[in-house]
């Protein structure tokens, strides 16, 4: 199997979640499937960073940066997955708590924290200092935990 | 529910699929779940573009550009989801054909075509010309169809 090396062009995304929600009017089940996909990709990219932080595999700042960029991009894609009417009162197969929609301001803050810390992780990873990267990864992971604790069923 | 407007910083990702595959050594089932997530996000972002191309919703070049950027990013994320040993001979719940791995060169070409056309779609969408965007979207969709025809079960 050949190695695939890909250079991804610069991209700037201006994202408005309500606009996207209105554009195609997806079904609640599709919204849930989408947000699960977003978090699957976040998890996929978190795992190798965790393995490096734990010392299970050799530390590679460039690899952290690459994975962190996917996490950051998905942090921007996540809000679209929480449209009104896609909660556990409508769709059964979801771990999202109703509190997301009844306490939207707090959820939005938690989401913004995640977006900001994952964006910082990309920057710190690009700079290449291992201990700084590990520290910033810790901060990013904390934003995950904080949001899950409040807004996701265990 | 408040509108969330997010500006995503510039990002350049240099992606090496074998590196990622080796870093955390994910299980075949996790690889399959990951690649399904990638295509779920691609589909999610394709739908509103299709609706605009069909005239079901007003055409919005900026929205096309935003969705196309997610498609492009996921086109770069997709190869990681096809590691050796994640085919239908190992994992049952997959529509990926064994031909992906027995004819890897052809699959790689089909994937590269998709990556290139979706990258072009981002550029064309940013330029803002509706007919050019529709034409480039058609070319991008053709690369999906070509790969699915050859390498995905119906």
């Amino acid at each position: 199997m050949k190695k695939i090396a890909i250079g991804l062009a610069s991209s700037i995304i201006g994202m408005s979640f309500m606009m996207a929600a209105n554009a195609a009017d997806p079904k609640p089940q599709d919204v849930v499937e989408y947000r699960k996909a977003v978090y699957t990709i976040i998890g996929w990219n978190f795992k190798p960073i965790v393995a490096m932080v734990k010392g299970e595999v050799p530390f590679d700042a460039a690899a952290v940066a690459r994975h962190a960029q996917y996490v950051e991009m998905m942090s921007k894609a996540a809000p679209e997955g929480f449209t009104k009417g896609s909660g556990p009162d409508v769709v059964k197969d979801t771990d999202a708590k109703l509190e997301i929609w009844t306490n939207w301001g707090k959820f939005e803050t938690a989401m913004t924290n995640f977006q900001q810390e994952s964006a910082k992780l990309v920057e710190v990873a690009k700079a290449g200092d291992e201990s700084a990267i590990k520290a910033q990864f810790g901060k990013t992971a904390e934003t995950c935990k904080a949001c899950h604790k409040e807004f996701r069923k265990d």
Side-chain angles (χ1 to χ4, degrees), chain A:
Chain A
M1 205 180 297
K2 276 191 280 178
K3 195 169 177 179
I4 301 178
I6 301 157
L8 179 60
S10 269
S11 64
I12 297 172
I13 289 189
M15 141 89 94
S16 160
F17 134 37
M18 292 308 292
M19 176 168 57
N22 292 336
D25 207 19
K27 292 173 189 167
Q29 187 57 54
D30 292 340
V31 177
V32 172
E33 194 188 343
Y34 168 75
R35 73 175 173 242
K36 286 183 179 180
V38 167
Y39 287 98
T40 295
I41 288 167
I42 290 169
W44 174 269
N45 285 286
F46 248 64
K47 274 188 184 173
I49 305 178
V50 169
M52 284 185 255
V53 168
K54 286 185 176 175
E56 294 169 359
V57 298
F59 193 83
D60 178 345
V64 174
R66 182 166 55 79
H67 289 297
Q69 283 173 336
Y70 283 114
V71 173
E72 185 200 3
M73 185 117 186
M74 287 299 100
S75 78
K76 268 66 181 182
E80 270 187 88
F82 294 94
T83 50
K84 219 170 178 172
S86 67
D89 50 337
V90 177
V91 181
K92 282 187 179 177
D93 184 26
T94 177
D95 289 333
K97 283 187 185 171
L98 199 61
E99 281 78 355
I100 290 170
W101 294 272
T102 58
N103 202 349
W104 183 257
K106 197 172 182 186
F107 177 71
E108 200 175 33
T109 300
M111 185 66 87
T112 303
N113 290 341
F114 170 46
Q115 291 167 341
Q116 289 175 345
E117 296 302 334
S118 60
K120 277 186 203 165
L121 181 60
V122 174
E123 295 312 310
V124 172
K126 282 179 180 171
D129 180 80
E130 184 173 334
S131 59
I133 293 169
K134 287 179 176 176
Q136 184 54 38
F137 178 70
K139 287 185 186 174
T140 307
E142 280 305 316
T143 67
C144 301
K145 284 181 197 167
C147 195
H148 291 174
K149 190 180 174 186
E150 193 95 27
F151 296 113
R152 191 182 69 169
K153 288 176 207 160
D154 280 321

